[in-house]
Amino acid sequence: MSNPSTFKAEPNSGSGANWDDHAALHRSNDGGGLLSDLKALRHGTLAELVRFVASLPENEQPLYTIEKAGDHRLGIGEILALSRRADFPRA
């Protein structure tokens, strides 16, 4: 079973975030739901999508969420907190 590797940007089980987990970028207002994957704007690893959102202009960042394995949606607060973590892969 796949569990979200983070909760409020803190690692679960002390193992750190799984930066290579599959993730999908969504508009924050797309509603999610059963057909959520069809609404994805792009797919990539958790690290790639966190890096992408964090690189957007500050006024655009809240427009996006990241959905990762286990149906966990990360809002802008969690995304930016992840981007500031010491173990975040910068490139």
Side-chain angles (χ1 to χ4, degrees), residues 1-6 12 15-25 43-50 66-72 74 82 89:
M1 182 172 192
S2 178
N3 293 316
S5 58
T6 62
N12 70 355
S15 61
N18 187 350
W19 300 112
D20 293 325
D21 268 358
H22 174 76
L25 182 71
H43 292 89
T45 66
L46 176 61
E48 290 168 342
L49 296 181
V50 167
I66 296 174
E67 185 173 293
K68 61 180 290 309
D71 292 330
H72 180 72
L74 293 91
L82 286 170

Side-chain angles (χ1 to χ4, degrees), residues 26-27 32-33 39 45 50 55 58 65 67 77 79:
H26 290 267
R27 287 251 179 218
K39 299 175 192 174
T45 66
V50 167
S55 73
E58 193 173 318
T65 61
E67 185 173 293
I79 294 168

